[in-house]
Amino acid sequence: MSIRVRLLLSFGSVLAVAVVLLLMTSYLLSVAITGDMRSISSFYKIHYSLHPLTDEEETIFLDLKYLAKQDPGRLADDALLADYDGQLKMVQAGLFVKRDNKLLYSSPSIGEPKMLSALPGYDADNLSIRSTLNVGNRFFSYAKFDFPYPDGTQGSLYVMKERSPFAELVRTLLPILGVVLLAVIMLTGLLLYRYITRTMIRPLEVLKRSADQIKEGDLQFELKPQSRDEIGQLSQSFEEMRRRLKESIQLQLQYEENRKSLISNISHDLKTPITTIKGYVEGIRDGLADTPDKLEKYVGTLHAKVTDMGRLVDELLLYSKLDLRREPYSFERVDLMAFARDAAEESALELEGKGFIVDLDVASPGPLFVMADRSKLMRALGNLIQNSVKFMNREEKRIGIRVGTEGAHALLAVEDNGPGIPAESLPFIFERFYRGDASRNSETGGSGLGLAIAKQIAEGHRGSIEAVSASGEGARMIIRLPLADTGSAADAAIGLQTTKKRNGADG
Ligand SMILES: Nc1ncnc2c1ncn2[C@@H]1O[C@H](COP(=O)(O)OP(=O)(O)O)[C@@H](O)[C@H]1O
Ligand SMILES: [Mg+2]
């Protein structure tokens, strides 16, 4: 059974119980008031039947009754009757006189056209002289006296008083009242039903539809909780679940996409040198290298290509090992100052012949300790220097190696006065296989893995790498490494220095 049906049933039963209770209450009330099983309206009738007139009216009635007994002839005198009616009118009552079923006198103040037919018939014994009667929808109590006129015609006189039609009203209104009450109860029930449907059933239906959508694999919708109640909370949890599910699926898809692009990149990068090598080998086989000079050139190119390929495979292997966290790190306390000095001297020696000026700029003369894997850090630094060399396009070729501190981090930076990195490339240069300018790269070579590897290594040291550059303004690559905890006196000095620096920044 659905909740809707259950709700309808429960409202239905509440309605039934209310109606039964209402009927029982009104019945018991009437019993309590009247003392017997008759209705309230009968109670009023009985009351007015017993006391139809007030004392003043009663006096006038007795006057008229005396006249009817003693001198009935005078009761045909219109002026006299009008006089009595006048007295009765003062106390909101009226007089009616009937003679042989015709109205001889009819009180103009009560004036009721149907009165004649409603008046009770002649009774010579005058058994019932006080009672009530309904004329149309008016309700009267009266005292009546029947008498013979001197000529033997039947005369009746009625002193009549209109009563509050309450009892009649009750009788006629009771069904309407019942209907209205019923309508009110039904309306209330309906409103409640609608309220509950709106606040409970509809959100549940939305939830169900959403669950169906997820079942079908559609996660693109958004579920907005309409309330803060339990159902709202349920919707919220559901929405959270949908969001997480979507994220995890997107991540999965991205991994898949990455894997595909990795494979396609690797195949492409291996395919190009292999095609060249194949061409040269075929050339040798077909006797194109017919002089020792040519042969030497061919073999030289082949060697260079194979070396390139070897380097590429090497880088690929290293990158994938770093990526899979398979490459072990052997950390040791390394003085970054000494490390950078060694690297700068080595590079200077190697690059001087190519016209480069390599200089070292360190923030403090003392040692700066970090926990590092020397060879990997050297590899990262080497990749940065290599790029600066590779992309250099100036007459005056400058490469700077900088060491400094920033908060709890040591900085190791390589900067050059080369072409710089255009802003649109900047976000992508640390992605594997990304090369800034494909056409230029075909001549400079490179796998697009250099910076990706440097980034892996920096992150392997719980550090980070950042590029600061603008097109045409040279590039600066900064590696941040956490400072090793300050153990020696020299370390303490560095620690003090960084604290001072931080304080300075605060002030
Ligand atoms: N010092 C630099 N000056 C200008 N561009 C650079 C520099 N270093 C890196 N780049 C840009 O970042 C790209 C990615 O570098 P990298 O990952 O080392 O790949 P590769 O050196 O094989 O091109 C380069 O192709 C180049 O466009
Ligand atoms: Mg590179």
Side-chain angles (χ1 to χ4, degrees):
M1 206 191 310
S2 75
I3 296 181
R4 261 178 213 277
V5 174
R6 260 184 260 179
L7 267 178
L8 278 175
L9 279 182
S10 56
F11 280 134
S13 43
V14 167
L15 191 74
V17 168
V19 169
V20 168
L21 279 181
L22 196 77
L23 290 178
M24 270 172 65
T25 316
S26 45
Y27 181 70
L28 287 176
L29 210 68
S30 80
V31 170
I33 292 174
T34 57
D36 70 20
M37 298 299 175
R38 276 173 292 181
S39 71
I40 298 173
S41 56
S42 332
F43 166 77
Y44 276 92
K45 274 198 163 165
I46 291 162
H47 173 78
Y48 286 128
S49 302
L50 293 177
H51 314 282
L53 304 177
T54 60
D55 287 346
E56 290 149 24
E57 291 151 11
E58 192 67 26
T59 319
I60 298 168
F61 172 66
L62 289 177
D63 268 9
L64 284 164
K65 190 175 151 188
Y66 180 79
L67 212 63
K69 277 183 181 166
Q70 301 303 319
D71 190 4
R74 288 187 66 193
L75 287 182
D77 176 0
D78 252 1
L80 181 84
L81 292 177
D83 183 42
Y84 275 113
D85 186 39
Q87 290 177 42
L88 282 170
K89 196 182 160 188
M90 309 274 269
V91 288
Q92 275 103 36
L95 177 68
F96 286 85
V97 177
K98 200 164 81 171
R99 183 171 190 176
D100 261 357
N101 278 326
K102 278 194 222 53
L103 270 181
L104 191 69
Y105 183 85
S106 142
S107 168
S109 58
I110 287 181
E112 174 58 54
K114 290 198 204 105
M115 189 56 89
L116 179 62
S117 53
L119 288 173
Y122 184 80
D123 171 21
D125 298 332
N126 278 314
L127 287 178
S128 143
I129 60 170
R130 289 160 218 279
S131 189
T132 59
L133 62 81
N134 295 312
V135 186
N137 46 16
R138 298 170 75 178
F139 179 57
F140 299 91
S141 63
Y142 66 86
K144 147 190 176 233
F145 189 72
D146 294 331
F147 58 92
Y149 273 101
D151 60 358
T153 47
Q154 296 175 341
S156 309
L157 67 91
Y158 306 83
V159 172
M160 194 146 310
K161 182 163 177 80
E162 183 159 17
R163 288 296 176 180
S164 142
F166 178 73
E168 285 310 294
L169 216 65
V170 168
R171 215 195 350 236
T172 48
L173 281 191
L174 207 64
I176 299 173
L177 208 74
V179 168
V180 167
L181 265 175
L182 212 72
V184 166
I185 295 175
M186 275 173 71
L187 197 77
T188 319
L190 202 78
L191 287 178
L192 267 174
Y193 172 74
R194 276 199 40 177
Y195 173 72
I196 292 180
T197 343
R198 238 209 341 261
T199 54
M200 288 176 63
I201 297 179
R202 214 157 308 150
L204 282 177
E205 281 171 353
V206 171
L207 266 177
K208 160 135 194 355
R209 266 204 304 280
S210 313
D212 285 345
Q213 255 172 298
I214 289 181
K215 199 169 71 188
E216 299 297 322
D218 176 10
L219 290 164
Q220 293 307 324
F221 60 92
E222 190 181 340
L223 198 68
K224 288 200 187 77
Q226 303 290 334
S227 56
R228 310 234 256 145
D229 58 10
E230 290 84 344
I231 290 183
Q233 287 164 9
L234 181 65
S235 304
Q236 213 165 5
S237 308
F238 193 88
E239 168 64 13
E240 179 75 13
M241 182 190 83
R242 181 200 65 81
R243 211 173 45 74
R244 295 232 180 126
L245 205 60
K246 191 176 157 197
E247 273 170 13
S248 90
I249 287 176
Q250 271 173 344
L251 203 68
Q252 208 67 41
L253 286 175
Q254 207 194 327
Y255 278 149
E256 184 66 14
E257 196 53 41
N258 278 2
R259 204 178 53 82
K260 279 187 198 154
S261 78
L262 195 67
I263 290 176
S264 114
N265 279 325
I266 293 171
S267 337
H268 178 262
D269 282 9
L270 290 177
K271 177 88 186 151
T272 324
I274 284 174
T275 312
T276 321
I277 289 167
K278 193 169 162 242
Y280 277 90
V281 170
E282 277 169 5
I284 294 171
R285 185 195 63 191
D286 297 347
L288 288 179
D290 43 9
T291 65
D293 263 6
K294 272 190 188 168
L295 189 64
E296 200 190 319
K297 218 184 104 196
Y298 271 46
V299 171
T301 313
L302 275 173
H303 183 259
K305 286 288 162 193
V306 171
T307 313
D308 275 357
M309 260 181 83
R311 198 181 323 124
L312 175 61
V313 170
D314 219 40
E315 285 189 336
L316 260 173
L317 258 173
L318 176 62
Y319 176 78
S320 91
K321 273 194 212 156
L322 289 168
D323 195 30
L324 294 169
R325 313 247 182 287
R326 292 258 174 79
E327 179 73 10
Y329 282 78
S330 54
F331 286 108
E332 55 185 314
R333 280 168 69 82
V334 175
D335 173 13
L336 210 55
M337 298 292 179
F339 180 85
R341 204 171 297 127
D342 290 351
E345 275 168 17
E346 205 176 298
S347 307
L349 218 67
E350 189 190 323
L351 296 172
E352 253 164 24
K354 295 182 183 169
F356 279 90
I357 303 163
V358 181
D359 59 7
L360 177 72
D361 180 2
V362 292
S364 77
L368 192 61
F369 284 107
V370 293
M371 293 303 289
D373 180 323
R374 258 177 204 284
S375 67
K376 290 201 178 56
L377 195 59
M378 193 54 90
R379 173 87 192 229
L381 188 62
N383 283 359
L384 301 184
I385 295 172
Q386 241 177 46
N387 280 347
S388 291
V389 172
K390 187 161 71 177
F391 297 110
M392 181 56 68
N393 60 351
R394 299 277 181 108
E395 279 302 305
E396 191 196 298
K397 305 171 165 66
R398 283 188 173 279
I399 295 180
I401 297 174
R402 315 253 172 269
V403 180
T405 57
E406 186 189 85
H409 285 91
L411 308 184
L412 176 60
V414 176
E415 47 185 59
D416 61 53
N417 61 342
I421 303 163
E424 62 268 23
S425 299
L426 214 49
F428 307 111
I429 55 172
F430 295 106
E431 280 176 18
R432 62 189 173 209
F433 296 113
Y434 179 84
R435 290 167 207 168
D437 182 353
S439 64
R440 195 186 58 203
N441 260 274
S442 58
E443 127 199 352
T444 49
S447 59
L449 285 170
L451 289 183
I453 288 172
K455 185 179 179 205
Q456 289 276 12
I457 291 174
E459 286 171 357
H461 282 77
R462 285 187 294 124
S464 62
I465 188 166
E466 183 196 3
V468 182
S469 176
S471 198
E473 290 186 1
R476 177 198 282 193
M477 315 301 269
I478 306 158
I479 295 177
R480 285 186 174 76
L481 300 174
L483 282 166
D485 26 350
T486 48
S488 68
D491 283 353
I494 298 291
L496 212 71
Q497 194 184 18
T498 42
T499 345
K500 238 192 256 162
K501 223 177 171 183
R502 229 181 281 143
N503 286 345
D506 286 348

